[in-house]
Amino acid sequence: MKDYRSVADVVAGEIGTGTLRPGDRLPPQREFARQHGIANSTATRVYQELARRGLTVGEVGRGTFVRAVSAGSVSAGPALTEPADSRRVDLELNYPVVPEQNALLAEALGGLLRPDALGNALRPVGTSGFPAVQESAADMLGRGGWRPDPARIHFAGNGRQAISAVVTALVPPGARLGVEELTYPVIKAVAARLGITLVPLAMDGAGLVPEAVEEAHAAAPLHAVYVQPRLHNPLSVTMPARRIERLADVLLKLGIPAIEDAIWAFLHDELPPLAAYAPEQTVLIDSLSKRIAPGLTLGFAVAPPALASEIVSTLRSGGWTPMRFALDAAHRWQQNGTVKALVEAKQREAVVRQEIAARHLAGFAVQSDPGSYHCWWQLPRPWRADTFVAAAARHGIGVVPAAAFTVGRNHAPNAIRLGLASPQPDVLSRALGTLVELARSAPEELVTD
């Protein structure tokens, strides 16, 4: 029998990641109970728990709605230490920025702002861009001795649009998409919108277990598998060469296409992607947001010819084609060495931030990679992820609970993901120090007078 708090954790995770947004109406409790396979009385307790946490509000005659709570309006309560100021420390969103970034980017764009060049950059463009930018993209995406065929590269407005388009093209409504049992939350939202069933696939310390793909496909066919082989989000796991070769063999044997999310892979650019082992079976997704900057976005889909036409059609019909300005900017940044300089700087900065995290979190059960911008923290007892997230919020710190990454009805681990990229290093250090103090204390609900 499901505990009402674990179901509430799942809904809280969906609110935290934006899958459920302020003002969204939750289904009637009987319908919610059917959706989650729980008793009506349990559903009632779930709704009461969500209201207790301040996540929802009930309106007589209308239903239950997700509350609109701004970052700075989290209600005050007893705390170990109040935040030094009212600004929220964001360890949820995770966009690396280095001090030299703006100067490097601006220098390369000078020529693009001439009237003739700008006029050309503001013209519409198709999903294939143009040959010169495909060549630049191939150089940018190449790693570990692998370089994609430029003609196979298609562009979207951003990485999320590329993911949405590829999933839409490969997996029909009602079909099954295999994903790691802890996965990128956006894929959960995409699947829900498209009516796709996500099938959780077992992981171990080396990443996705290839035999889990075989077992899931034998139970009922998988139309595709979404996987993050390099610096998995949220676990930071990187699949070793023998594991990725085995996964490629399984996908080829079963004829299942793979959607390879390589968004963080630039931090380990010495390692080849899954697409290098199964090029005719894999669509590789990447973007500029982490590698360059979040504000000028561009998504990449490296697709084998057999899958390309449907993906291109979906990009066009979804309105997910790129801006030519972004293509021209990316081309210039790649050609003049800006991309290489930023990647190297962000690789160095990731190591610095991991060292900060390691100092503060020593002695706790933490999983990460020395070159990653996030880490996975198994919380000490008696803390639960939802109560820890709420307590951190009272200190002005935002973190992501495991429920946001958990697929289906699996029980969410008692863990949180810490994004290390967004705050300045000194702010990150203070925030982690506060979280450690919090973890060493007792949750308020267990404290008695």
Side-chain angles (χ1 to χ4, degrees):
M1 181 176 179
K2 289 185 180 179
D3 179 74
Y4 74 94
R5 288 175 298 186
S6 66
V7 181
D9 288 348
V10 173
V11 180
E14 292 173 348
I15 294 172
T17 59
T19 303
L20 289 173
R21 300 181 61 80
D24 283 356
R25 184 178 183 273
L26 298 186
Q29 291 182 20
R30 288 182 180 275
E31 182 180 341
F32 182 90
R34 287 195 299 271
Q35 290 176 355
H36 290 266
I38 58 179
N40 291 338
S41 59
T42 304
T44 298
R45 298 191 71 184
V46 170
Y47 277 46
Q48 291 171 342
E49 175 67 7
L50 293 170
R52 185 190 70 80
R53 299 183 195 178
L55 299 175
T56 61
V57 60
E59 299 183 16
V60 177
R62 296 190 62 219
T64 300
F65 297 83
V66 177
R67 285 188 63 193
V69 181
S70 64
S73 65
V74 178
S75 59
L80 288 172
T81 56
E82 294 299 325
D85 59 42
S86 60
R87 290 176 296 181
R88 179 174 181 270
V89 180
D90 189 352
L91 303 185
E92 296 175 298
L93 295 178
N94 211 22
Y95 290 104
V97 176
V98 290
E100 61 267 45
Q101 182 166 310
N102 291 341
L104 286 171
L105 296 176
E107 181 181 353
L109 292 184
L112 188 56
L113 300 182
R114 294 196 322 266
D116 58 332
L118 183 60
N120 190 56
L122 295 179
R123 295 168 54 194
V125 69
T127 62
S128 297
F130 44 93
V133 79
Q134 287 180 308
E135 289 286 344
S136 290
D139 291 337
M140 186 187 301
L141 301 179
R143 53 189 168 87
W146 171 84
R147 182 179 186 269
D149 179 351
R152 294 188 174 197
I153 300 176
H154 306 278
F155 301 96
N158 57 48
R160 293 185 179 191
Q161 291 178 2
I163 290 172
S164 296
V166 173
V167 172
T168 302
L170 299 187
V171 188
R176 288 159 44 94
L177 172 64
V179 297
E180 292 135 324
E181 57 189 346
L182 293 166
T183 193
Y184 180 39
V186 166
I187 202 72
K188 297 168 61 176
V190 170
R193 178 170 53 81
L194 297 176
I196 290 170
T197 299
L198 293 183
V199 180
L201 303 174
M203 302 179 70
D204 61 17
L208 176 63
V209 176
E211 289 72 20
V213 177
E214 293 179 302
E215 292 172 7
H217 190 65
L222 298 174
H223 273 71
V225 171
Y226 169 87
V227 61
Q228 304 172 76
R230 307 301 188 198
L231 292 180
H232 174 275
N233 178 21
L235 299 179
S236 292
V237 172
T238 289
M239 297 174 67
R242 294 184 68 177
R243 171 64 62 86
I244 205 168
E245 288 171 3
R246 171 63 180 146
L247 177 60
D249 289 343
V250 167
L251 295 170
L252 289 167
K253 180 182 74 173
L254 300 177
I256 303 173
I259 303 167
E260 178 179 10
D261 187 335
I263 301 298
W264 287 108
F266 73 94
L267 294 169
H268 273 331
D269 56 5
E270 77 283 3
L271 301 172
L274 174 63
Y277 297 88
E280 304 308 316
Q281 208 73 19
T282 305
V283 181
L284 182 140
I285 303 294
D286 210 327
S287 80
L288 290 185
S289 61
K290 312 295 187 185
R291 182 187 271 106
I292 308 298
L296 186 63
T297 60
L298 185 66
F300 307 88
V302 183
L307 304 176
S309 61
E310 188 63 30
I311 292 171
V312 168
S313 176
T314 304
L315 285 168
R316 290 172 178 164
S317 63
W320 294 325
T321 52
M323 296 187 300
R324 179 157 184 157
F325 186 91
L327 288 171
D328 282 345
H331 174 63
R332 288 170 180 265
W333 288 330
Q334 177 63 30
Q335 291 298 304
N336 80 342
T338 295
V339 173
K340 183 175 186 292
L342 284 178
V343 165
E344 291 175 350
K346 292 184 179 185
Q347 289 171 340
R348 292 191 297 269
E349 183 67 15
V351 173
V352 171
R353 289 169 181 266
Q354 284 290 341
E355 289 172 349
I356 294 172
R359 285 199 305 271
H360 284 286
L361 299 172
F364 290 97
V366 176
Q367 179 175 329
S368 193
D369 181 286
S372 173
Y373 274 97
H374 52 266
C375 57
W376 185 249
W377 186 4
Q378 295 280 351
L379 294 170
R381 294 182 178 182
W383 283 101
R384 297 200 327 268
D386 63 312
T387 53
F388 192 86
V389 170
R394 287 195 294 272
H395 289 71
I397 303 170
V399 298
V400 187
F405 305 95
T406 306
V407 179
R409 298 175 179 175
N410 285 356
H411 179 69
N414 190 41
I416 60 172
R417 191 205 69 174
L418 300 174
L420 308 178
S422 297
Q424 292 296 318
D426 59 331
V427 176
L428 173 64
S429 182
R430 289 197 299 272
L432 291 175
T434 299
L435 294 179
V436 166
E437 286 187 51
L438 192 62
R440 288 174 175 158
S441 71
E444 292 172 12
E445 63 186 27
L446 300 181
V447 176
T448 58
D449 293 332

